Structure formats: C-alpha cells, structure tokens
Amino acid sequence: MAQSDLSAEQHYNEANELMMNDQFELALENYDLAIKKCNKNNSNQLYSYFVGRAQAYIKLKKFPESVKDADSAISLNSKDTRAYLKKGIAQYNLTEYESALESLEEGIKKAEKESENIRKLFNDWISKCKKEIKPVQNSSENKDKELPKVQLIPAIKHEWYQTESQVTVTLLVKNVQQNDLTITPQENNLKIESNNPEKYNISLNFNLSHPVIADQTQIKYLSTKVEIKLKKCEALHWSKLDKSPNDIVVKKTSTIDVIEEKKPDYPSSSRKPKNWDKIAADVVAEEKDEKLEGDAALNKLFKQIYENGSDEVRKAMNKSFSESGGTVLSTNWSDVGSKKLEVKAPDGMEWRKWD
C-alpha cells in the first residue's frame, strides 16, 4: 500500500520507481495519491501526474482510463508531446486506429525539439496505425469492383407413384402458379418446361413406359407442390416412369369403361335352349364356395384382399410384390411406400440375380 503521509511529489517519484520495477498496481496507487494531493493550480506538476498515470493504465491494459488521463493532461498543456503519445498508444490498443493516427500525428507536429528517440517512437506507432487502416480502405475499394454474384437456381425435384388406374408425377416446389410452367401430356410422353428459368429451374421430358389418356390428365397447383395425374390406358403395373425395354408388366383389368353388349346365343343340340350365363354364374358360385387348402386357399385370400382393398392397399401389394420378386406381400402403404423392399428368400434358400 502507498504511504498516505507522503507529499504529492513524493508519491509521484515513488510511482515512477515502481513503474521501473514493473509494479504497476502499486505505481497506480501512488499516482492516484499524487493527483489527489497536488495543488490544482500547479498545472505543470498535475500534467506530469496525469501522463504518468496514463502510462500505468496502459501497462495494466486499462486503455479507456489511459485515454481519459491523456485528455486531462492535454487540457492542461497542449504543447507537450507525451500526452499525445500515451493517448495514441491507448487508442491503438482499443482498435481505434484512425483516432490513434490523428492523436499521434498531432503529437509529432509538436516534437520538433524532442529527441530522435521520441520522434522515432511516434513514427513507429504512426506506421502501425497506417498498416491497420490500409487493408480496410482496400477492402472497401475492392467491394466496389466486385462483379455481381450470379444466383444459382436450384433444380426442382420430382417423384412419382401409381395406383391401379393412375400415375401421379409430383413436382416438389412451393408457390408455383399455373403460368410459371408449361405441362404437355401426350399419349406416350410428358413434357414439363419452366416459363421463368430465372425463378424455376426445371426441364423434364418423360417417354412414358405405357400409354396414357392425355385429355384426362389432372393438374393441381398446391402451395407445397404440383401434382400431375395421368390416366392409364390399361391397368398395368409400371416398373418405371420412363420407357425401358426391360420393364416387366403385369396385366390386370382394363380401366377403360366397356359398353356391355348382348352376348350371342351359342348353338346346342338340346331342344331346350341353355342359359349359358346362368351356368357360368353357377360355376363361379361353386368356385367361391369351394373350400381350398394350401397355396390355393392363400392365393384366393390375396385375390379377395386385392379386389376389396382401397387404392393404398393395392399400391402396397403391387409395390411389395414387384420389388421383392414375389417374396414379400404387404397391404400397409405407410410401411412400404417410403422404402425399397429387398428380396427375402425362403429359409434354406439363397436369392441370386441372373444376368
């Protein structure tokens, strides 16, 4: 602790000695007491005390306090260079490079009668400030010369799925309006083009796997997507959206409405004409009531599930049967719709893909 019974000048001398011994905290205490005890009318003495305390604050990295003391010193004596040097160094450490440069340049103007070492110290700090200020100026100049950045428009993703009667192509894009796209469905082709390439990046041309009824195409523009529903000509399972010679198709029933015509009477040697429709219906009824066993019973059950099931049930059965090579049959679309099913060989057997 500093001795409080010393005079202002004694505290100042004690502080200077402590600064030389790197005891900056104790030095600061003595500078405080020197300033407190100093005669406020003795401006020259008070100037030196503020300059000394400003240096102590710099050593303790208390740069705002150092700037404040330097300003107090300059207000007492604006012709002395020491306060400008302390102020410039403190401002530099506060990254206030332009203000520091201004303080240092003001100080060096008054250093004509100072020693060569003092002028060199000013010049060294002025160079440091200019090095920090120069990159900022260059950066702002370079920004003016930068070429405008080209905004890349992301490609629009799409997906598709099918039911027994329809193929649905979905464009995964938000807030598309009807005039933003040109969608052209044809019997064997679907073409989608953007009318505004700067906004939407899409150009699709599908050679459809199977024919569709183009004039029955339904297009819905929703807030999160665009749905294109194509009417199948035949209830075929599409293995791909694009045409491929290797696609395997399973024909079911036609989705085109057929006008029923009167069936012809077939010749018979019987005197009484036979109602062949009734005979066929009786055979169907007998087959329906027949109690099957084994694989036949299982196949009959699957057929009934498919005929009586919803579109999602049929989609699930078609997808699972097709992707698994007939080894998996599921009716749960939410379970199989979002993943690809692998072939599951029966126990004791191994599945192999033949070229």
Side-chain angles (χ1 to χ4, degrees):
M1 293 291 292
Q3 298 179 18
S4 59
D5 56 344
L6 299 177
S7 66
E9 189 64 18
Q10 287 173 326
H11 281 298
Y12 174 69
N13 293 331
E14 179 71 15
N16 288 339
E17 187 173 344
L18 290 167
M19 287 289 290
M20 294 176 64
N21 294 323
D22 295 339
Q23 295 178 277
F24 306 125
E25 291 284 357
L26 288 176
L28 182 62
E29 291 180 14
N30 279 275
Y31 284 128
D32 288 341
L33 290 171
I35 293 171
K36 185 177 180 181
K37 293 182 179 183
C38 182
N39 184 347
K40 300 302 182 283
N41 294 323
N42 191 343
S43 60
N44 289 334
Q45 195 175 50
L46 196 57
Y47 173 87
S48 296
Y49 297 170
F50 276 121
V51 170
R53 193 168 72 172
Q55 179 64 17
Y57 279 133
I58 290 175
K59 292 296 185 180
L60 293 171
K61 300 188 185 302
K62 295 181 179 181
F63 304 115
E65 292 86 344
S66 179
V67 173
K68 185 177 179 180
D69 271 3
D71 282 333
S72 297
I74 292 171
S75 68
L76 294 169
N77 183 0
S78 62
K79 296 181 179 180
D80 193 273
T81 61
R82 290 177 294 164
Y84 290 102
L85 181 61
K86 307 305 179 190
K87 183 179 179 180
I89 294 173
Q91 289 172 321
Y92 177 90
N93 284 281
L94 289 170
T95 68
E96 299 173 1
Y97 304 121
E98 292 183 357
S99 298
L101 180 61
E102 184 179 344
S103 299
L104 293 165
E105 288 181 338
E106 184 67 22
I108 200 171
K109 291 177 183 177
K110 306 175 187 297
E112 294 179 359
K113 296 181 180 181
E114 297 288 351
S115 67
E116 184 67 27
N117 288 337
I118 293 296
R119 290 196 298 273
K120 184 178 184 302
L121 190 58
F122 267 104
N123 286 322
D124 288 345
W125 280 102
I126 287 172
S127 297
K128 288 184 179 181
C129 291
K130 288 182 176 179
K131 285 181 180 178
E132 295 296 334
I133 294 172
K134 189 175 179 180
V136 176
Q137 293 174 339
N138 287 345
S139 176
S140 62
E141 291 173 2
N142 290 336
K143 285 182 180 178
D144 296 335
K145 297 178 182 178
E146 285 181 0
L147 295 175
K149 295 181 180 179
V150 179
Q151 184 178 4
L152 297 177
I153 308 300
I156 296 177
K157 296 181 180 179
H158 70 277
E159 60 184 19
W160 74 284
Y161 67 90
Q162 63 181 307
T163 64
E164 183 180 357
S165 60
Q166 289 181 326
V167 171
T168 300
V169 179
T170 304
L171 306 179
L172 304 177
V173 61
K174 296 181 179 179
N175 302 319
V176 175
Q177 304 300 318
Q178 187 171 353
N179 58 358
D180 291 327
L181 301 177
T182 298
I183 301 175
T184 309
Q186 297 179 346
E187 182 179 7
N188 296 298
N189 181 268
L190 174 63
K191 190 174 183 180
I192 305 169
E193 293 286 343
S194 172
N195 296 332
N196 189 358
E198 295 181 357
K199 187 176 180 182
Y200 300 108
N201 180 15
I202 184 169
S203 178
L204 299 173
N205 189 11
F206 299 108
N207 293 318
L208 301 175
S209 294
H210 301 282
V212 298
I213 306 174
D215 57 4
Q216 294 187 25
T217 300
Q218 299 176 16
I219 303 175
K220 291 183 180 180
Y221 293 86
L222 305 175
S223 60
T224 58
K225 60 185 177 179
V226 178
E227 281 190 351
I228 307 167
K229 293 187 176 182
L230 305 170
K231 180 78 171 178
K232 291 181 178 179
C233 286
E234 293 182 288
L236 303 176
H237 177 77
W238 293 23
S239 60
K240 293 181 180 179
L241 183 62
D242 278 317
K243 183 181 293 184
S244 171
N246 297 325
D247 285 344
I248 300 174
V249 298
V250 180
K251 187 172 182 179
K252 298 170 186 175
T253 58
S254 174
T255 62
I256 302 176
D257 295 332
V258 179
I259 300 175
E260 291 187 0
E261 297 179 355
K262 183 179 177 182
K263 294 182 175 62
D265 293 329
Y266 295 98
S268 172
S269 58
S270 174
R271 292 182 179 180
K272 293 178 65 177
K274 293 185 178 181
N275 188 340
W276 294 104
D277 289 340
K278 184 177 183 303
I279 293 173
D282 291 339
V283 171
V284 171
E286 290 177 3
E287 291 177 350
K288 185 175 182 180
D289 295 334
E290 183 181 6
K291 295 183 178 180
L292 302 176
E293 297 180 355
D295 291 341
L298 191 59
N299 289 334
K300 181 180 178 182
L301 174 62
F302 290 155
K303 183 178 180 182
Q304 290 175 348
I305 293 173
Y306 186 88
E307 290 176 349
N308 300 326
S310 64
D311 283 347
E312 286 199 348
V313 169
R314 295 180 181 182
K315 282 196 299 180
M317 295 179 73
N318 284 331
K319 185 175 186 299
S320 58
F321 187 85
S322 174
E323 291 184 353
S324 68
T327 60
V328 175
L329 188 62
S330 172
T331 59
N332 188 349
W333 178 250
S334 62
D335 181 42
V336 302
S338 60
K339 63 183 181 181
K340 181 173 178 62
L341 298 174
E342 303 293 337
V343 176
K344 295 183 179 179
D347 293 340
M349 301 184 69
E350 181 182 0
W351 179 83
R352 291 185 179 180
K353 185 175 180 180
W354 297 94
D355 295 333

